[in-house]
Amino acid sequence: MKMTQAVHKILSHYESDNPGTKANLARILMHGRLGGTGRLVILPVDQGFEHGPARSFAPNPLAYDPHYHFQLAIEAGLSAYASVLGMIEAGADTYAGQIPLILKVNSSNSLATAKDQAVTGSVRDALRLGCAAIGFTIYPSADQAFEQMEEIRALAEEAKAHGLAVVIWSYPRGSVSKDGETAIDVTAYAAHIAALLGAHIIKVKPPTAFLEQAEAKKVYEKAKVEVGTLAQRIAHVVQASFAGKRIVVFSGGAAKDLAGIYDEARAIRDGGGNGSIIGRNTFQRPRAEALAMLDQIIKIYEGKA
Amino acid sequence: MKMTQAVHKILSHYESDNPGTKANLARILMHGRLGGTGRLVILPVDQGFEHGPARSFAPNPLAYDPHYHFQLAIEAGLSAYASVLGMIEAGADTYAGQIPLILKVNSSNSLATAKDQAVTGSVRDALRLGCAAIGFTIYPSADQAFEQMEEIRALAEEAKAHGLAVVIWSYPRGSVSKDGETAIDVTAYAAHIAALLGAHIIKVKPPTAFLEQAEAKKVYEKAKVEVGTLAQRIAHVVQASFAGKRIVVFSGGAAKDLAGIYDEARAIRDGGGNGSIIGRNTFQRPRAEALAMLDQIIKIYEGKA
Amino acid sequence: MKMTQAVHKILSHYESDNPGTKANLARILMHGRLGGTGRLVILPVDQGFEHGPARSFAPNPLAYDPHYHFQLAIEAGLSAYASVLGMIEAGADTYAGQIPLILKVNSSNSLATAKDQAVTGSVRDALRLGCAAIGFTIYPSADQAFEQMEEIRALAEEAKAHGLAVVIWSYPRGSVSKDGETAIDVTAYAAHIAALLGAHIIKVKPPTAFLEQAEAKKVYEKAKVEVGTLAQRIAHVVQASFAGKRIVVFSGGAAKDLAGIYDEARAIRDGGGNGSIIGRNTFQRPRAEALAMLDQIIKIYEGKA
Amino acid sequence: MKMTQAVHKILSHYESDNPGTKANLARILMHGRLGGTGRLVILPVDQGFEHGPARSFAPNPLAYDPHYHFQLAIEAGLSAYASVLGMIEAGADTYAGQIPLILKVNSSNSLATAKDQAVTGSVRDALRLGCAAIGFTIYPSADQAFEQMEEIRALAEEAKAHGLAVVIWSYPRGSVSKDGETAIDVTAYAAHIAALLGAHIIKVKPPTAFLEQAEAKKVYEKAKVEVGTLAQRIAHVVQASFAGKRIVVFSGGAAKDLAGIYDEARAIRDGGGNGSIIGRNTFQRPRAEALAMLDQIIKIYEGKA
Amino acid sequence: MKMTQAVHKILSHYESDNPGTKANLARILMHGRLGGTGRLVILPVDQGFEHGPARSFAPNPLAYDPHYHFQLAIEAGLSAYASVLGMIEAGADTYAGQIPLILKVNSSNSLATAKDQAVTGSVRDALRLGCAAIGFTIYPSADQAFEQMEEIRALAEEAKAHGLAVVIWSYPRGSVSKDGETAIDVTAYAAHIAALLGAHIIKVKPPTAFLEQAEAKKVYEKAKVEVGTLAQRIAHVVQASFAGKRIVVFSGGAAKDLAGIYDEARAIRDGGGNGSIIGRNTFQRPRAEALAMLDQIIKIYEGKA
C-alpha cells in the first residue's frame, strides 16, 4: 500500500528517528482498516498480569489462549497488538507478519505490595519476536517515577538505536488524589512528560474536567483553556503532546456499555486524538460482539458513524 | 527414540524458541520411563539449602552424598534432576548424559532473615555443567517480587539465547494469607505470571478450593469456575497457563503417606497437569521404598494405576 | 567568522580539553549576535518538564510546538538553545546546523515526590542529535547531591571523551534555608563545585547579599569581600569559578518586568559574568515582545544599552 | 612429588572443575609437610583488618612485617598462607612459588558500624599475585547474607573460569544466638551452605553440642545423630559437606593454651576433618614457640602425636 | 637524576607492582628539593570542595586561580601537587611535566547532608591529565566505610593495572568519638587499613596519645607500646604500615603558627614518617610567607633545621 499524505505528515514529525524506527511507525499507521488514515486502534492484553487470569479471561474463557488475541486483532483489522513477553512468545511465530506487535516491557500485578512495575521484557526480546515497538508504563507521580523514567530512558535509547518505536503508557498515580489521576491538568502533564521522554506514541486515559494542581488551576483559568467537553480536553492533551506532533491514543478503562464506548471514541476523534487502545472491553465480550464493537469504533474513526 | 505426537504437540506451543531450547525441552520430555508421553516426574533436591542438611538428610543418611540423588533419579527412570550449584557440580561429570539436569539458580535458607532468595548460580554455570534448563523461584506476593521478576527476566533472556529451557517455581508468599498461599485464585495467578514471564515449565503447589482475593472471588462465582475437586483445580491452573500451552508440574510438599501422594498424582493427571516434582517424599524414604513409590507414580501417569 | 581574541582567551582556559570539545565551545561562543564577544545568551526550555505544559505554554500557546523555540532562538540571534530529549528530537533535523544545541540530560517535575532529577538523556543522544553540549542539574545541598555528582562525573567523562562540552546548572536546595538558596556564599560555593566537577559552562542564579553559612560569614566579614551590589556579587561568583577561567551564566528566574530584566543583565555584564540563560521570560511573552526584549538584552551585553 | 592416592581421591570429588582449578587444589594438598596426606594446615592473617594492628601484632612486633608470615608459613612447612590484598602484595614477589597463597577477597573491621564485610580484592588480583585460591567470608544468618552469597557466586564463577580454587569461611552471625553461632546444627548448616555455593574448601569453627534451631533439634533427636564428642561433631560437619566430598578445615579461634589446641587438632583428625586454619595462636606467639606448636599440630595430623 | 639508595629501598617494598606504577612512585620520590631522600612534601588543594571557595581562598585571593597552586608547588620544590578534577584540568597542560600530579578522585563538601564523599574523578581522567597517582579518602568508622572500601578497591585495581600509584587519605569519622578521630590506636588502625587495601602512599593525621578502643587500650598497656611523644606515635603509625614498608605522610590540619608546624615536621621526621601533606597552612598565607615556610619544612626533612 502506498504511503498516504496523512501518514506522511505524521512521520515527518519524528524527524530525528532513523529509517528503521520510521518504518516501524509506518507499519503500525499503514496497517489494518484504519491504515493510512492517521488513526489507529490497538488491542492491549496485559490484564492477566495486572489483575490475574480469572478476572481477565473467565468472562470469555477462549481468551485464556494467547492465540485468541492475535486472531481477534487480525480479524478486526486493528492497527497493532500489544502484550507482555509470554503472550507474545506464544503466538509470534504463528502470526508472524500478520499484525504489528508491541512488546510491553514492564508490568504490574495485583499480588504485589508496591505501586511499581517490574521490567519483564527487553529490546532484544522485541527484536527476536519481530515486534515493531516496545511499550512501557510510567507512573509520573509515584515514588518510583524517577526510577521508571531512567529505565525507559535506557530502553528507549536502545530501542531507537535498533529501529524500534517506543510507546509510553503515562498513568499518574501516587502523590495525586484519586480524582487527580484523570484530571485534565495532570493528564496533559502526563502526556507531555511522555513526549519529553521521547515517546513516539503516548497512551493516557480520557481526562475529566477536574483540575488537580493549584498552580496549574490558576493558569487554566487565567488563560481560559477550554476543557468543558471531552473533545476539548482531548484537544488540549494533543496540544500538550508537542502541538499534535506526537501520536496520542486513549485507553478504554473498565468495561462499560457500548454507547459510552462509542461516545468516547467520537470525542477522541473530534478532539484530534489518534485513536483508542482498548483491552478489557474487547476480550471480555463474546467474540462476535467484540468484532461488531470494533467494527463500529473503526467506522467512527473513519468518520462513518 | 523417535519423537512422539504428544511431545511434538507440546513443543509446537513453544513457537518462539530457538532449536537449542526446543532440543533441551525435548530432552526432558523424551527422557525416562515417561519419555514421549507428555508427562514428567522430576526429582528436586534443594532442601539442604532451604532447611539445612540434617532436616533434609538425617532421615536417610545416604542422601548426604550428592551422587545418591543422581543415581536415584536415573534408576527410577525420572524425567530430570533439579538441584543447586554445589550438588550439581558434585555429580555432573560422573553422570554426564544420563539424565537431564535443571540448575536451580536461586535459593532461600532458613537461617536467613529476609523472605527472599539469593541468586546462587548462572547461565554460564548451567552451560558448563551440561544442564538442560535453569530453575528459578519467584514469590509473586512478596516485597521482593519485582526484583525477583527482573532477575529471572535477565536470566531467562540469557538462557534462551544460549539454548536452555527455563523452569519457574512460582510460590505466592508475603502479602497473601497463609491459606491464600495455596488458594486456587492465587495459584492460578502465580502460574499465569510464570507463563507471562516466559517460563517453559511452571511449578506450583496443588491448590485448595480457598479463594483469597475478594475481586477474584466475585469473578469465580459469577463465571461459575468449577474448583470443587483437585482435578478441577488442576485443570483451572492448566487453563491459566495459556490454555494448556505451557508445561505445568506440581510439587509434593511436606512428607505425607503414600495414599495421599498417589491420590494427588491421579488428580494432577486427570486435571491435565503434566506431572510431579517430588523431593522430600522421595529422598527421605529408604531407597527401596522411594523407588517403589516412584514406580507407582509413574504408573499413575501412564494410566496404569 | 574568524576566531576573536576574546574567544581565544576563553578557550585557552580549557587547556585539558580535546579539540572536539574546544570546537563545540567555540561553536557556542562564536554563534549569534554576541558571537566573538565572549558573552552569550542561551534559551532554555525545560519548564514543561518542571512545571507542566499549561503552566509553561498556555500564556503563549504557540510555544507548545517544539519548533517555536528553535525558531525564536535562531531569529533572536542567541548563542545556543537548551532543552530536553523530546523537545530536541522534535526539531534537531529541521534546524540542523542553525544554532548550537545543549541537551539537558536530567530533569525534575512537579508531580514527583522527591527533590531529585531523573536522568532523561545520554551522551549518545546528544551525539546523534548533533548537540554541542550536555546540560545537567545538581542540587549541591540535597540528600541526592552525592549521587547527582557521581552521575554527572560519569556523563561528563563520556561527553568530553566524545568532544562535547558540559554545562552544569548548580542549584543549592535541601539542607539550606529558602533565603540560603540564593545567598552569595552558597551561590559562590555552588559555582565553585560545578567548576571542580569539570563543567565548561556554569549556570547559577543571581545571588543576594544574604550569607547562609556561619563559618563562611566570618570569612566574608574578616576578608572584607564586597558583596553589596549585584555586580559585586556577580564578580565574586566569577572569581569563585577559577578566577574567571570558567564561563558563568545566570538564569532569569520567574517572569518579571522588563526593567528588572535589563538591570540584571547590566549587573551581570558589569560584574564580568558571561551572560544570561533566560527561559520563561522569553517564551511566555508574545513572540514580538520576546524578540524585542532579547534584542535589548543583547545590546546590553554589547555595551550598547 | 608424585600425586598420592589420598590426594587423588580428594581431587576426584571435584569432578566438574577444570584442570586449572584442580591443579591449584593439588598444589595446596601436595605442599608442605602434610603434602600428599589429604590433611592441611593453613596460616591465615586477616586479624589486622578485623581487630587492628596493635591487638594483632603488638604481642609479637615482628609480625607487623608482612614478610614475617610468609617466612613462618614456609619454615613451618604449612600447606598454604591466606591473607588480604596489601599483605599478599607485600610479599608475593619475594616468596613467589614457595607456598600456595589464598587471597582473602572480603574483610570486616572493628571500626565498622555494620555486621558485614567489604569486598577488598578480586580474582584479577589473585591472578596477578600468583595465588592458588580466593577466600571469602559469609555470615549465613546475617541481614547481608543474601548479598554476600551473590557476591561469592559471581567471584566463584570468575575464579573457577580462571583456574583458581575457592575457599569459603562460613560464620553464622546475626539472627542466631551467641551460643548458636557455634551450635552443631548451625555449623553443619553453615558448612552445607558453603558446599552448595560451590566452595572447594570450607572453613567453619569447631562446633559445640548445642542445638539452636527447634525444627533441627527434633530431627537430631529423632534420627539419633551422635554429637556428644567433638570428634563426632566434626564427623557430622564433614558428613554435611557432601558426605566428606568437600575439604573442611576448622579455625583455631581466640588464643588458648597448647593442650587445648592439640586436643582440638586430634578431634578434627579423628572426626575426619581435613585440618586446621590457625592464625592468632600462631603469630601472637614468639616465633620459636609458634614453630614448635605447628610442628606438634602437623605431627598430630600425621598420626604421630 | 640517578636513583638513590633511599628511594631504591622504598621502591623495593612495592614488590608486586608493575614498572609503570613503580615509575610513577619514583617520579614523586625523585622530584623536587627532597627528591632522592625518601622524604616528601605534597601540596593538597581540595579545600574549595570541602569548605567552599571563600573559606579557602578569600584570605589570599590569588589562590582562586588554579594556576597559583601549580606555580607555588613548583617554585617551592615540592614533591607533588594533589587536587580535584576541575583544578587539575585547569593547569595540567600549562604545567605538564613540571610536577607530579595526584588526582583526588572523591570529595566531600560542607553543603552535603551525608558524612560521605562523592566519586568525582576516574582513572581515565588521571591518565588523560598525565597524573602519577590517584587519591581517595576513606572514613574507616563511618556507615559508608564498606562502600568506600569497595570503591577504592575497584579504582585501585584499575589504577595499578594502568601504571598509576594509589594514595589513600584514611580519616576515622562516624562511630568513633571526636577525640577518637586522632587517637593513636585509631590512627594506627586507619593507616593499617589503608595499607591492607593496597595503598602505596598513606595519609593520616598526626595522632594524639588518646586511646579510643577499650580492647586496644588493654593491648597497648600490656605490650607497653610507647606513645608518649609525637615522634613515638609517628613511629608506631609507621610500624602499623607494614613495619615501615609503606610511605606514610601526615596532614597539616587547620591553620596554625609556624613554630607548631615546624615542631610537627620534626616529630614526623624523627618518628620515621615520610613527610607532610600541607594545604591550608600553605595557600592561605601570602605567597612569600608560604614559600619561606615550605623552605623551612624542607630543611627540617633534610635534617638541616
Side-chain angles (χ1 to χ4, degrees), chain E residues 197-272:
Chain E
L197 290 170
H200 299 103
I201 301 178
I202 296 162
K203 183 191 171 193
V204 289
K205 293 187 182 162
T208 68
F210 183 68
L211 287 162
E212 166 83 1
Q213 298 192 297
E215 287 298 310
K217 196 174 183 199
K218 278 187 245 167
V219 172
Y220 277 85
E221 286 166 357
K222 190 173 169 207
K224 296 196 174 67
V225 182
E226 296 199 56
V227 296
T229 68
L230 181 54
Q232 287 174 329
R233 294 191 293 271
I234 296 289
H236 178 61
V237 171
V238 167
Q239 182 185 43
S241 302
F242 291 173
K245 289 181 167 174
R246 290 292 171 265
I247 298 167
V248 188
V249 295
F250 295 84
S251 58
K256 58 187 89 161
D257 67 24
L258 288 173
I261 292 169
Y262 301 150
D263 283 351
E264 209 166 82
R266 280 185 201 101
I268 294 166
R269 177 196 66 194
D270 296 344

Side-chain angles (χ1 to χ4, degrees), chain D residues 258 262 286-299:
Chain D
L258 289 172
Y262 300 151
R287 183 175 157 80
E289 283 183 30
L291 287 170
M293 181 195 73
L294 290 170
D295 175 68
Q296 181 66 9
I297 291 172
I298 287 169
K299 282 187 179 135

Side-chain angles (χ1 to χ4, degrees), chain B residues 47-211:
Chain B
Q47 297 298 328
F49 225 130
E50 191 125 349
H51 298 146
R55 282 174 65 193
S56 302
F57 306 129
N60 176 28
L62 290 173
Y64 280 111
D65 185 341
H67 281 202
Y68 179 83
H69 306 283
F70 283 88
Q71 289 169 339
L72 189 71
I74 292 166
E75 188 163 337
L78 302 191
S79 313
Y81 169 53
S83 193
V84 293
L85 185 68
M87 293 286 274
I88 296 287
E89 284 185 331
D93 192 59
T94 300
Y95 303 101
Q98 301 189 41
I99 187 160
L101 300 174
I102 299 167
L103 182 66
K104 188 80 194 323
V105 294
N106 69 345
S107 305
S108 185
N109 71 77
S110 62
L111 286 174
T113 57
K115 268 208 167 59
D116 199 0
Q117 298 239 340
V119 175
T120 56
S122 70
V123 169
R124 182 188 275 207
D125 286 327
L127 291 167
R128 73 175 167 89
L129 296 169
C131 300
I134 59 164
F136 191 91
T137 299
I138 57 168
Y139 299 145
S141 44
D143 290 343
Q144 295 83 356
F146 285 142
E147 197 186 327
Q148 292 174 339
M149 288 177 189
E150 297 189 349
E151 285 170 347
I152 182 56
R153 190 214 68 70
L155 286 163
E157 178 183 291
E158 192 186 352
K160 290 174 186 178
H162 291 79
L164 296 179
V166 174
V167 187
I168 295 184
W169 275 239
S170 192
Y171 289 169
R173 190 170 299 188
S175 72
V176 292
S177 70
K178 196 68 202 167
D179 281 346
E181 291 183 3
T182 52
I184 177 61
D185 60 328
V186 170
T187 301
Y189 200 165
H192 190 62
I193 285 178
L196 292 176
L197 290 170
H200 299 102
I201 301 178
I202 296 163
K203 182 190 171 192
V204 289
K205 292 186 182 163
T208 68
F210 182 69
L211 286 162

Side-chain angles (χ1 to χ4, degrees), chain C residues 77-156:
Chain C
L78 302 191
S79 312
Y81 169 52
S83 194
V84 293
L85 185 68
M87 294 286 273
I88 296 287
E89 284 185 330
D93 191 59
T94 301
Y95 303 100
Q98 300 189 41
I99 187 160
L101 300 173
I102 299 167
L103 181 67
K104 188 79 195 322
V105 293
N106 68 346
S107 304
S108 185
N109 69 80
S110 63
L111 286 174
T113 57
K115 268 209 166 59
D116 199 1
Q117 298 239 340
V119 175
T120 56
S122 71
V123 169
R124 181 189 277 209
D125 286 327
L127 292 166
R128 73 175 167 90
L129 296 169
C131 300
I134 59 165
F136 191 93
T137 298
I138 58 169
Y139 299 145
S141 46
D143 291 343
Q144 294 83 356
F146 285 143
E147 197 186 326
Q148 292 174 338
M149 289 179 188
E150 297 189 349
E151 286 170 347
I152 183 55
R153 187 214 70 69
L155 286 164

